[in-house]
């Protein structure tokens, strides 16, 4: 994952970022009216925020249940070996898995925390075989099934 270099943001940039985090479909005209800039100025600022990777991606957030994938699974993974090439291989494996929605390499008792989305436990079982048993370097993993996704995709406080 490529990291952004810190970008200096002024008050207008912050207002734009707050708005697009809440509604990425807001027109440049609507944003401009709400923050006191012209639509072309908003367009230039949005382009700059995208080019500098402050806005990394424009995506649609789907309702998991509506698309038949209602289960969110949180998995704590502990590695057998923390050799860099093995860790990089695990990161790559997790990154390529479509069911893995988020992956965090962390400090503490475990090495990775994964957030997965699956349609049912049978799919999760298949994913665990592929990610944790077949591929290797997994000492253990612990699974938590989300009973309710209370807050996901929250805006970054800017």
């Amino acid at each position: 994952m490529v990291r952004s270099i810190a970008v200096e943001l002024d008050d207008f940039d912050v207002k734009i970022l707050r708005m697009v985090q809440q509604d990425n479909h807001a027109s440049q005209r609507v944003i401009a009216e709400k923050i006191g800039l012209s639509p072309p100025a908003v367009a230039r600022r949005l382009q700059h925020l995208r080019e500098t990777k402050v806005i990394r991606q424009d995506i649609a957030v789907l309702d998991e249940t509506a698309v038949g994938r209602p289960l969110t699974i949180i998995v704590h993974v502990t590695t057998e070996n923390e050799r860099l090439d093995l860790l990089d291989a695990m990161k790559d494996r997790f990154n390529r898995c479509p069911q893995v929605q988020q992956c965090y390499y962390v400090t503490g008792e475990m090495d990775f925390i994964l957030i997965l989305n699956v349609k049912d436990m049978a799919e999760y079982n298949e994913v665990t075989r592929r990610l944790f048993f077949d591929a290797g370097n997994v000492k253990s993993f612990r699974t938590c099934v989300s009973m309710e996704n209370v807050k996901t995709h929250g805006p970054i406080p800017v």
Side-chain angles (χ1 to χ4, degrees):
M1 179 178 176
V2 176
R3 294 279 182 206
S4 302
I5 296 173
V7 175
E8 222 173 288
L9 304 173
D10 66 16
D11 289 341
F12 288 119
D13 292 327
V14 169
K15 288 175 184 175
I16 291 169
L17 291 171
R18 285 181 182 150
M19 289 186 70
V20 298
Q21 283 189 94
Q22 295 300 320
D23 180 6
N24 201 21
H25 271 26
S27 71
Q28 293 168 5
R29 181 187 54 75
V30 168
I31 295 170
E33 288 172 2
K34 288 189 177 185
I35 67 170
L37 284 177
S38 69
V42 169
R44 282 190 302 276
R45 285 171 179 269
L46 281 167
Q47 180 179 358
H48 177 72
L49 292 167
R50 288 183 175 105
E51 287 172 354
T52 58
K53 301 296 184 199
V54 172
I55 297 176
R56 289 190 308 192
Q57 191 175 14
D58 292 296
I59 63 169
V61 178
L62 306 182
D63 180 306
E64 298 91 344
T65 301
V67 295
R69 303 188 61 79
L71 288 178
T72 298
I73 311 278
I74 298 101
V75 185
H76 298 174
V77 180
T78 304
T79 60
E80 285 182 345
N81 189 318
E82 292 188 51
R83 225 175 60 211
L84 290 180
D85 61 324
L86 297 175
L87 287 174
D88 288 343
M90 291 181 81
K91 290 175 190 176
D92 182 58
R93 182 167 75 230
F94 297 153
N95 209 15
R96 285 184 288 111
C97 179
Q99 291 87 353
V100 175
Q101 300 297 296
Q102 298 173 52
C103 173
Y104 302 94
Y105 178 49
V106 299
T107 62
E109 292 180 27
M110 76 276 312
D111 298 301
F112 291 95
I113 297 175
L114 306 177
I115 311 295
L116 286 83
N117 172 262
V118 294
K119 64 182 174 187
D120 54 29
M121 291 308 289
E123 182 180 8
Y124 179 62
N125 185 46
E126 184 275 320
V127 169
T128 61
R129 289 178 187 272
R130 192 167 21 96
L131 288 182
F132 308 139
F133 294 111
D134 294 346
N137 199 32
V138 174
K139 180 178 179 181
S140 65
F141 66 96
R142 195 174 88 217
T143 300
C144 301
V145 178
S146 173
M147 294 177 15
E148 178 183 3
N149 294 358
V150 177
K151 181 177 181 180
T152 63
H153 302 92
I156 303 295
V158 291

PDB file of all heavy atoms in Angstrom, residues 39-72:
ATOM      1  N   PRO A  39     -17.910  26.827  -8.127  1.00  0.00           N
ATOM      2  CA  PRO A  39     -17.806  25.424  -8.553  1.00  0.00           C
ATOM      3  C   PRO A  39     -16.462  25.078  -9.203  1.00  0.00           C
ATOM      4  O   PRO A  39     -15.896  24.021  -8.909  1.00  0.00           O
ATOM      5  CB  PRO A  39     -18.985  25.249  -9.515  1.00  0.00           C
ATOM      6  CG  PRO A  39     -20.009  26.229  -8.998  1.00  0.00           C
ATOM      7  CD  PRO A  39     -19.184  27.415  -8.561  1.00  0.00           C
ATOM      8  N   PRO A  40     -15.875  25.957 -10.067  1.00  0.00           N
ATOM      9  CA  PRO A  40     -14.551  25.621 -10.621  1.00  0.00           C
ATOM     10  C   PRO A  40     -13.464  25.513  -9.539  1.00  0.00           C
ATOM     11  O   PRO A  40     -12.573  24.663  -9.633  1.00  0.00           O
ATOM     12  CB  PRO A  40     -14.254  26.772 -11.584  1.00  0.00           C
ATOM     13  CG  PRO A  40     -15.592  27.294 -11.980  1.00  0.00           C
ATOM     14  CD  PRO A  40     -16.438  27.146 -10.744  1.00  0.00           C
ATOM     15  N   ALA A  41     -13.552  26.355  -8.496  1.00  0.00           N
ATOM     16  CA  ALA A  41     -12.566  26.270  -7.401  1.00  0.00           C
ATOM     17  C   ALA A  41     -12.725  24.948  -6.660  1.00  0.00           C
ATOM     18  O   ALA A  41     -11.733  24.307  -6.295  1.00  0.00           O
ATOM     19  CB  ALA A  41     -12.727  27.445  -6.451  1.00  0.00           C
ATOM     20  N   VAL A  42     -13.973  24.521  -6.444  1.00  0.00           N
ATOM     21  CA  VAL A  42     -14.214  23.223  -5.792  1.00  0.00           C
ATOM     22  C   VAL A  42     -13.666  22.103  -6.668  1.00  0.00           C
ATOM     23  O   VAL A  42     -13.010  21.178  -6.178  1.00  0.00           O
ATOM     24  CB  VAL A  42     -15.721  23.019  -5.494  1.00  0.00           C
ATOM     25  CG1 VAL A  42     -16.003  21.584  -5.068  1.00  0.00           C
ATOM     26  CG2 VAL A  42     -16.185  23.998  -4.418  1.00  0.00           C
ATOM     27  N   ALA A  43     -13.900  22.183  -7.970  1.00  0.00           N
ATOM     28  CA  ALA A  43     -13.403  21.157  -8.904  1.00  0.00           C
ATOM     29  C   ALA A  43     -11.881  21.055  -8.839  1.00  0.00           C
ATOM     30  O   ALA A  43     -11.326  19.948  -8.790  1.00  0.00           O
ATOM     31  CB  ALA A  43     -13.865  21.464 -10.325  1.00  0.00           C
ATOM     32  N   ARG A  44     -11.195  22.208  -8.836  1.00  0.00           N
ATOM     33  CA  ARG A  44      -9.719  22.206  -8.770  1.00  0.00           C
ATOM     34  C   ARG A  44      -9.248  21.585  -7.462  1.00  0.00           C
ATOM     35  O   ARG A  44      -8.297  20.800  -7.436  1.00  0.00           O
ATOM     36  CB  ARG A  44      -9.175  23.629  -8.912  1.00  0.00           C
ATOM     37  CG  ARG A  44      -9.159  24.154 -10.326  1.00  0.00           C
ATOM     38  CD  ARG A  44      -8.382  25.456 -10.449  1.00  0.00           C
ATOM     39  NE  ARG A  44      -8.896  26.525  -9.594  1.00  0.00           N
ATOM     40  CZ  ARG A  44      -9.890  27.325  -9.909  1.00  0.00           C
ATOM     41  NH1 ARG A  44     -10.497  27.211 -11.073  1.00  0.00           N
ATOM     42  NH2 ARG A  44     -10.286  28.281  -9.066  1.00  0.00           N
ATOM     43  N   ARG A  45      -9.908  21.940  -6.366  1.00  0.00           N
ATOM     44  CA  ARG A  45      -9.511  21.414  -5.063  1.00  0.00           C
ATOM     45  C   ARG A  45      -9.755  19.900  -4.995  1.00  0.00           C
ATOM     46  O   ARG A  45      -8.916  19.152  -4.484  1.00  0.00           O
ATOM     47  CB  ARG A  45     -10.249  22.130  -3.940  1.00  0.00           C
ATOM     48  CG  ARG A  45      -9.698  23.530  -3.703  1.00  0.00           C
ATOM     49  CD  ARG A  45     -10.578  24.312  -2.728  1.00  0.00           C
ATOM     50  NE  ARG A  45     -10.045  25.625  -2.472  1.00  0.00           N
ATOM     51  CZ  ARG A  45      -9.198  25.921  -1.485  1.00  0.00           C
ATOM     52  NH1 ARG A  45      -8.790  24.987  -0.664  1.00  0.00           N
ATOM     53  NH2 ARG A  45      -8.759  27.148  -1.329  1.00  0.00           N
ATOM     54  N   LEU A  46     -10.897  19.439  -5.494  1.00  0.00           N
ATOM     55  CA  LEU A  46     -11.160  17.995  -5.501  1.00  0.00           C
ATOM     56  C   LEU A  46     -10.127  17.256  -6.349  1.00  0.00           C
ATOM     57  O   LEU A  46      -9.636  16.190  -5.951  1.00  0.00           O
ATOM     58  CB  LEU A  46     -12.575  17.715  -6.008  1.00  0.00           C
ATOM     59  CG  LEU A  46     -13.696  17.932  -5.006  1.00  0.00           C
ATOM     60  CD1 LEU A  46     -15.052  17.924  -5.695  1.00  0.00           C
ATOM     61  CD2 LEU A  46     -13.635  16.879  -3.904  1.00  0.00           C
ATOM     62  N   GLN A  47      -9.786  17.817  -7.501  1.00  0.00           N
ATOM     63  CA  GLN A  47      -8.770  17.195  -8.352  1.00  0.00           C
ATOM     64  C   GLN A  47      -7.439  17.108  -7.612  1.00  0.00           C
ATOM     65  O   GLN A  47      -6.769  16.072  -7.634  1.00  0.00           O
ATOM     66  CB  GLN A  47      -8.613  17.980  -9.651  1.00  0.00           C
ATOM     67  CG  GLN A  47      -7.565  17.371 -10.583  1.00  0.00           C
ATOM     68  CD  GLN A  47      -7.435  18.146 -11.881  1.00  0.00           C
ATOM     69  OE1 GLN A  47      -8.135  19.129 -12.135  1.00  0.00           O
ATOM     70  NE2 GLN A  47      -6.516  17.699 -12.724  1.00  0.00           N
ATOM     71  N   HIS A  48      -7.053  18.188  -6.943  1.00  0.00           N
ATOM     72  CA  HIS A  48      -5.801  18.196  -6.180  1.00  0.00           C
ATOM     73  C   HIS A  48      -5.847  17.173  -5.039  1.00  0.00           C
ATOM     74  O   HIS A  48      -4.868  16.443  -4.805  1.00  0.00           O
ATOM     75  CB  HIS A  48      -5.527  19.595  -5.636  1.00  0.00           C
ATOM     76  CG  HIS A  48      -4.297  19.674  -4.780  1.00  0.00           C
ATOM     77  ND1 HIS A  48      -3.021  19.586  -5.301  1.00  0.00           N
ATOM     78  CD2 HIS A  48      -4.147  19.803  -3.442  1.00  0.00           C
ATOM     79  CE1 HIS A  48      -2.136  19.662  -4.320  1.00  0.00           C
ATOM     80  NE2 HIS A  48      -2.799  19.796  -3.178  1.00  0.00           N
ATOM     81  N   LEU A  49      -6.968  17.090  -4.339  1.00  0.00           N
ATOM     82  CA  LEU A  49      -7.096  16.134  -3.224  1.00  0.00           C
ATOM     83  C   LEU A  49      -7.010  14.694  -3.727  1.00  0.00           C
ATOM     84  O   LEU A  49      -6.468  13.827  -3.044  1.00  0.00           O
ATOM     85  CB  LEU A  49      -8.410  16.376  -2.467  1.00  0.00           C
ATOM     86  CG  LEU A  49      -8.478  17.688  -1.683  1.00  0.00           C
ATOM     87  CD1 LEU A  49      -9.900  17.987  -1.244  1.00  0.00           C
ATOM     88  CD2 LEU A  49      -7.531  17.649  -0.484  1.00  0.00           C
ATOM     89  N   ARG A  50      -7.500  14.450  -4.932  1.00  0.00           N
ATOM     90  CA  ARG A  50      -7.394  13.100  -5.514  1.00  0.00           C
ATOM     91  C   ARG A  50      -5.971  12.829  -6.006  1.00  0.00           C
ATOM     92  O   ARG A  50      -5.431  11.744  -5.795  1.00  0.00           O
ATOM     93  CB  ARG A  50      -8.409  12.933  -6.635  1.00  0.00           C
ATOM     94  CG  ARG A  50      -9.833  12.821  -6.104  1.00  0.00           C
ATOM     95  CD  ARG A  50     -10.857  12.575  -7.206  1.00  0.00           C
ATOM     96  NE  ARG A  50     -12.156  12.355  -6.616  1.00  0.00           N
ATOM     97  CZ  ARG A  50     -13.138  13.257  -6.615  1.00  0.00           C
ATOM     98  NH1 ARG A  50     -12.969  14.446  -7.189  1.00  0.00           N
ATOM     99  NH2 ARG A  50     -14.292  12.969  -6.052  1.00  0.00           N
ATOM    100  N   GLU A  51      -5.363  13.801  -6.655  1.00  0.00           N
ATOM    101  CA  GLU A  51      -3.998  13.619  -7.174  1.00  0.00           C
ATOM    102  C   GLU A  51      -2.988  13.396  -6.055  1.00  0.00           C
ATOM    103  O   GLU A  51      -2.019  12.660  -6.224  1.00  0.00           O
ATOM    104  CB  GLU A  51      -3.584  14.832  -8.014  1.00  0.00           C
ATOM    105  CG  GLU A  51      -4.272  14.886  -9.358  1.00  0.00           C
ATOM    106  CD  GLU A  51      -4.016  16.186 -10.107  1.00  0.00           C
ATOM    107  OE1 GLU A  51      -3.390  17.116  -9.545  1.00  0.00           O
ATOM    108  OE2 GLU A  51      -4.466  16.272 -11.271  1.00  0.00           O
ATOM    109  N   THR A  52      -3.181  14.061  -4.931  1.00  0.00           N
ATOM    110  CA  THR A  52      -2.258  13.909  -3.800  1.00  0.00           C
ATOM    111  C   THR A  52      -2.644  12.734  -2.902  1.00  0.00           C
ATOM    112  O   THR A  52      -1.996  12.513  -1.882  1.00  0.00           O
ATOM    113  CB  THR A  52      -2.210  15.199  -2.962  1.00  0.00           C
ATOM    114  OG1 THR A  52      -3.522  15.522  -2.504  1.00  0.00           O
ATOM    115  CG2 THR A  52      -1.604  16.346  -3.753  1.00  0.00           C
ATOM    116  N   LYS A  53      -3.679  12.002  -3.282  1.00  0.00           N
ATOM    117  CA  LYS A  53      -4.157  10.802  -2.570  1.00  0.00           C
ATOM    118  C   LYS A  53      -4.716  11.104  -1.185  1.00  0.00           C
ATOM    119  O   LYS A  53      -4.813  10.210  -0.352  1.00  0.00           O
ATOM    120  CB  LYS A  53      -3.074   9.720  -2.493  1.00  0.00           C
ATOM    121  CG  LYS A  53      -2.576   9.242  -3.837  1.00  0.00           C
ATOM    122  CD  LYS A  53      -3.672   8.576  -4.613  1.00  0.00           C
ATOM    123  CE  LYS A  53      -3.141   8.018  -5.923  1.00  0.00           C
ATOM    124  NZ  LYS A  53      -4.184   7.767  -6.877  1.00  0.00           N
ATOM    125  N   VAL A  54      -5.079  12.372  -0.923  1.00  0.00           N
ATOM    126  CA  VAL A  54      -5.846  12.652   0.293  1.00  0.00           C
ATOM    127  C   VAL A  54      -7.183  11.932   0.153  1.00  0.00           C
ATOM    128  O   VAL A  54      -7.648  11.280   1.082  1.00  0.00           O
ATOM    129  CB  VAL A  54      -6.033  14.172   0.509  1.00  0.00           C
ATOM    130  CG1 VAL A  54      -6.996  14.445   1.667  1.00  0.00           C
ATOM    131  CG2 VAL A  54      -4.689  14.839   0.764  1.00  0.00           C
ATOM    132  N   ILE A  55      -7.799  12.045  -1.027  1.00  0.00           N
ATOM    133  CA  ILE A  55      -8.945  11.197  -1.364  1.00  0.00           C
ATOM    134  C   ILE A  55      -8.362  10.021  -2.128  1.00  0.00           C
ATOM    135  O   ILE A  55      -7.938  10.160  -3.277  1.00  0.00           O
ATOM    136  CB  ILE A  55      -9.981  11.951  -2.226  1.00  0.00           C
ATOM    137  CG1 ILE A  55     -10.560  13.128  -1.454  1.00  0.00           C
ATOM    138  CG2 ILE A  55     -11.091  10.990  -2.670  1.00  0.00           C
ATOM    139  CD1 ILE A  55     -11.523  14.004  -2.257  1.00  0.00           C
ATOM    140  N   ARG A  56      -8.297   8.874  -1.457  1.00  0.00           N
ATOM    141  CA  ARG A  56      -7.653   7.708  -2.065  1.00  0.00           C
ATOM    142  C   ARG A  56      -8.522   7.035  -3.110  1.00  0.00           C
ATOM    143  O   ARG A  56      -8.007   6.466  -4.076  1.00  0.00           O
ATOM    144  CB  ARG A  56      -7.296   6.669  -0.999  1.00  0.00           C
ATOM    145  CG  ARG A  56      -6.161   7.087  -0.115  1.00  0.00           C
ATOM    146  CD  ARG A  56      -5.684   5.964   0.747  1.00  0.00           C
ATOM    147  NE  ARG A  56      -6.790   5.359   1.472  1.00  0.00           N
ATOM    148  CZ  ARG A  56      -6.648   4.502   2.464  1.00  0.00           C
ATOM    149  NH1 ARG A  56      -5.458   4.124   2.840  1.00  0.00           N
ATOM    150  NH2 ARG A  56      -7.690   4.010   3.089  1.00  0.00           N
ATOM    151  N   GLN A  57      -9.851   7.053  -2.880  1.00  0.00           N
ATOM    152  CA  GLN A  57     -10.714   6.284  -3.757  1.00  0.00           C
ATOM    153  C   GLN A  57     -12.148   6.782  -3.618  1.00  0.00           C
ATOM    154  O   GLN A  57     -12.570   7.193  -2.541  1.00  0.00           O
ATOM    155  CB  GLN A  57     -10.630   4.810  -3.326  1.00  0.00           C
ATOM    156  CG  GLN A  57     -11.239   3.832  -4.238  1.00  0.00           C
ATOM    157  CD  GLN A  57     -10.974   2.407  -3.770  1.00  0.00           C
ATOM    158  OE1 GLN A  57     -10.566   2.170  -2.641  1.00  0.00           O
ATOM    159  NE2 GLN A  57     -11.205   1.459  -4.633  1.00  0.00           N
ATOM    160  N   ASP A  58     -12.874   6.762  -4.701  1.00  0.00           N
ATOM    161  CA  ASP A  58     -14.305   7.054  -4.681  1.00  0.00           C
ATOM    162  C   ASP A  58     -15.035   5.726  -4.857  1.00  0.00           C
ATOM    163  O   ASP A  58     -14.891   5.080  -5.902  1.00  0.00           O
ATOM    164  CB  ASP A  58     -14.676   8.014  -5.813  1.00  0.00           C
ATOM    165  CG  ASP A  58     -14.090   9.402  -5.613  1.00  0.00           C
ATOM    166  OD1 ASP A  58     -14.486  10.042  -4.628  1.00  0.00           O
ATOM    167  OD2 ASP A  58     -13.244   9.819  -6.416  1.00  0.00           O
ATOM    168  N   ILE A  59     -15.804   5.335  -3.840  1.00  0.00           N
ATOM    169  CA  ILE A  59     -16.457   4.024  -3.876  1.00  0.00           C
ATOM    170  C   ILE A  59     -17.917   4.144  -3.455  1.00  0.00           C
ATOM    171  O   ILE A  59     -18.326   5.132  -2.852  1.00  0.00           O
ATOM    172  CB  ILE A  59     -15.751   3.011  -2.948  1.00  0.00           C
ATOM    173  CG1 ILE A  59     -15.825   3.469  -1.490  1.00  0.00           C
ATOM    174  CG2 ILE A  59     -14.313   2.778  -3.380  1.00  0.00           C
ATOM    175  CD1 ILE A  59     -15.398   2.420  -0.486  1.00  0.00           C
ATOM    176  N   ALA A  60     -18.680   3.104  -3.753  1.00  0.00           N
ATOM    177  CA  ALA A  60     -20.044   2.971  -3.241  1.00  0.00           C
ATOM    178  C   ALA A  60     -19.986   1.993  -2.072  1.00  0.00           C
ATOM    179  O   ALA A  60     -19.345   0.949  -2.158  1.00  0.00           O
ATOM    180  CB  ALA A  60     -20.960   2.432  -4.330  1.00  0.00           C
ATOM    181  N   VAL A  61     -20.629   2.322  -0.974  1.00  0.00           N
ATOM    182  CA  VAL A  61     -20.700   1.440   0.182  1.00  0.00           C
ATOM    183  C   VAL A  61     -22.015   0.679   0.070  1.00  0.00           C
ATOM    184  O   VAL A  61     -23.096   1.278   0.086  1.00  0.00           O
ATOM    185  CB  VAL A  61     -20.626   2.229   1.508  1.00  0.00           C
ATOM    186  CG1 VAL A  61     -20.741   1.298   2.697  1.00  0.00           C
ATOM    187  CG2 VAL A  61     -19.326   3.026   1.570  1.00  0.00           C
ATOM    188  N   LEU A  62     -21.920  -0.641  -0.065  1.00  0.00           N
ATOM    189  CA  LEU A  62     -23.101  -1.475  -0.286  1.00  0.00           C
ATOM    190  C   LEU A  62     -23.680  -1.969   1.024  1.00  0.00           C
ATOM    191  O   LEU A  62     -22.975  -2.117   2.018  1.00  0.00           O
ATOM    192  CB  LEU A  62     -22.724  -2.683  -1.148  1.00  0.00           C
ATOM    193  CG  LEU A  62     -22.043  -2.390  -2.485  1.00  0.00           C
ATOM    194  CD1 LEU A  62     -21.778  -3.697  -3.223  1.00  0.00           C
ATOM    195  CD2 LEU A  62     -22.855  -1.438  -3.325  1.00  0.00           C
ATOM    196  N   ASP A  63     -24.957  -2.269   1.000  1.00  0.00           N
ATOM    197  CA  ASP A  63     -25.624  -2.917   2.117  1.00  0.00           C
ATOM    198  C   ASP A  63     -25.377  -4.418   1.971  1.00  0.00           C
ATOM    199  O   ASP A  63     -25.833  -5.041   1.002  1.00  0.00           O
ATOM    200  CB  ASP A  63     -27.123  -2.607   2.089  1.00  0.00           C
ATOM    201  CG  ASP A  63     -27.870  -3.250   3.232  1.00  0.00           C
ATOM    202  OD1 ASP A  63     -27.765  -4.482   3.419  1.00  0.00           O
ATOM    203  OD2 ASP A  63     -28.581  -2.527   3.947  1.00  0.00           O
ATOM    204  N   GLU A  64     -24.639  -4.991   2.917  1.00  0.00           N
ATOM    205  CA  GLU A  64     -24.230  -6.400   2.829  1.00  0.00           C
ATOM    206  C   GLU A  64     -25.420  -7.336   2.714  1.00  0.00           C
ATOM    207  O   GLU A  64     -25.415  -8.292   1.930  1.00  0.00           O
ATOM    208  CB  GLU A  64     -23.387  -6.808   4.059  1.00  0.00           C
ATOM    209  CG  GLU A  64     -22.100  -6.044   4.218  1.00  0.00           C
ATOM    210  CD  GLU A  64     -22.236  -4.784   5.073  1.00  0.00           C
ATOM    211  OE1 GLU A  64     -23.362  -4.308   5.322  1.00  0.00           O
ATOM    212  OE2 GLU A  64     -21.188  -4.269   5.482  1.00  0.00           O
ATOM    213  N   THR A  65     -26.454  -7.098   3.488  1.00  0.00           N
ATOM    214  CA  THR A  65     -27.621  -7.976   3.482  1.00  0.00           C
ATOM    215  C   THR A  65     -28.364  -7.875   2.151  1.00  0.00           C
ATOM    216  O   THR A  65     -28.803  -8.884   1.606  1.00  0.00           O
ATOM    217  CB  THR A  65     -28.555  -7.622   4.656  1.00  0.00           C
ATOM    218  OG1 THR A  65     -27.801  -7.777   5.870  1.00  0.00           O
ATOM    219  CG2 THR A  65     -29.765  -8.536   4.708  1.00  0.00           C
ATOM    220  N   ALA A  66     -28.466  -6.671   1.616  1.00  0.00           N
ATOM    221  CA  ALA A  66     -29.184  -6.467   0.356  1.00  0.00           C
ATOM    222  C   ALA A  66     -28.537  -7.224  -0.804  1.00  0.00           C
ATOM    223  O   ALA A  66     -29.225  -7.606  -1.749  1.00  0.00           O
ATOM    224  CB  ALA A  66     -29.269  -4.984   0.030  1.00  0.00           C
ATOM    225  N   VAL A  67     -27.225  -7.445  -0.731  1.00  0.00           N
ATOM    226  CA  VAL A  67     -26.536  -8.168  -1.811  1.00  0.00           C
ATOM    227  C   VAL A  67     -26.256  -9.625  -1.431  1.00  0.00           C
ATOM    228  O   VAL A  67     -25.472 -10.300  -2.092  1.00  0.00           O
ATOM    229  CB  VAL A  67     -25.236  -7.444  -2.247  1.00  0.00           C
ATOM    230  CG1 VAL A  67     -25.563  -6.095  -2.851  1.00  0.00           C
ATOM    231  CG2 VAL A  67     -24.249  -7.308  -1.105  1.00  0.00           C
ATOM    232  N   GLY A  68     -26.906 -10.101  -0.366  1.00  0.00           N
ATOM    233  CA  GLY A  68     -26.817 -11.516  -0.001  1.00  0.00           C
ATOM    234  C   GLY A  68     -25.526 -11.932   0.681  1.00  0.00           C
ATOM    235  O   GLY A  68     -25.136 -13.094   0.610  1.00  0.00           O
ATOM    236  N   ARG A  69     -24.857 -10.995   1.357  1.00  0.00           N
ATOM    237  CA  ARG A  69     -23.606 -11.304   2.041  1.00  0.00           C
ATOM    238  C   ARG A  69     -23.686 -10.718   3.459  1.00  0.00           C
ATOM    239  O   ARG A  69     -22.980  -9.776   3.789  1.00  0.00           O
ATOM    240  CB  ARG A  69     -22.421 -10.746   1.266  1.00  0.00           C
ATOM    241  CG  ARG A  69     -22.392 -11.278  -0.188  1.00  0.00           C
ATOM    242  CD  ARG A  69     -21.151 -10.905  -0.910  1.00  0.00           C
ATOM    243  NE  ARG A  69     -19.963 -11.437  -0.281  1.00  0.00           N
ATOM    244  CZ  ARG A  69     -19.521 -12.685  -0.392  1.00  0.00           C
ATOM    245  NH1 ARG A  69     -20.183 -13.546  -1.112  1.00  0.00           N
ATOM    246  NH2 ARG A  69     -18.424 -13.063   0.217  1.00  0.00           N
ATOM    247  N   PRO A  70     -24.547 -11.284   4.304  1.00  0.00           N
ATOM    248  CA  PRO A  70     -24.880 -10.646   5.583  1.00  0.00           C
ATOM    249  C   PRO A  70     -23.884 -10.845   6.719  1.00  0.00           C
ATOM    250  O   PRO A  70     -23.994 -10.164   7.733  1.00  0.00           O
ATOM    251  CB  PRO A  70     -26.221 -11.288   5.944  1.00  0.00           C
ATOM    252  CG  PRO A  70     -26.124 -12.665   5.353  1.00  0.00           C
ATOM    253  CD  PRO A  70     -25.368 -12.471   4.065  1.00  0.00           C
ATOM    254  N   LEU A  71     -22.912 -11.732   6.573  1.00  0.00           N
ATOM    255  CA  LEU A  71     -22.035 -12.035   7.708  1.00  0.00           C
ATOM    256  C   LEU A  71     -20.723 -11.250   7.670  1.00  0.00           C
ATOM    257  O   LEU A  71     -20.000 -11.270   6.680  1.00  0.00           O
ATOM    258  CB  LEU A  71     -21.703 -13.522   7.761  1.00  0.00           C
ATOM    259  CG  LEU A  71     -22.839 -14.446   8.181  1.00  0.00           C
ATOM    260  CD1 LEU A  71     -22.367 -15.895   8.135  1.00  0.00           C
ATOM    261  CD2 LEU A  71     -23.334 -14.100   9.565  1.00  0.00           C
ATOM    262  N   THR A  72     -20.448 -10.585   8.774  1.00  0.00           N
ATOM    263  CA  THR A  72     -19.159  -9.933   8.978  1.00  0.00           C
ATOM    264  C   THR A  72     -18.414 -10.755  10.014  1.00  0.00           C
ATOM    265  O   THR A  72     -18.926 -11.022  11.101  1.00  0.00           O
ATOM    266  CB  THR A  72     -19.341  -8.486   9.472  1.00  0.00           C
ATOM    267  OG1 THR A  72     -20.048  -7.755   8.474  1.00  0.00           O
ATOM    268  CG2 THR A  72     -17.990  -7.824   9.737  1.00  0.00           C
TER     269      THR A  72
END
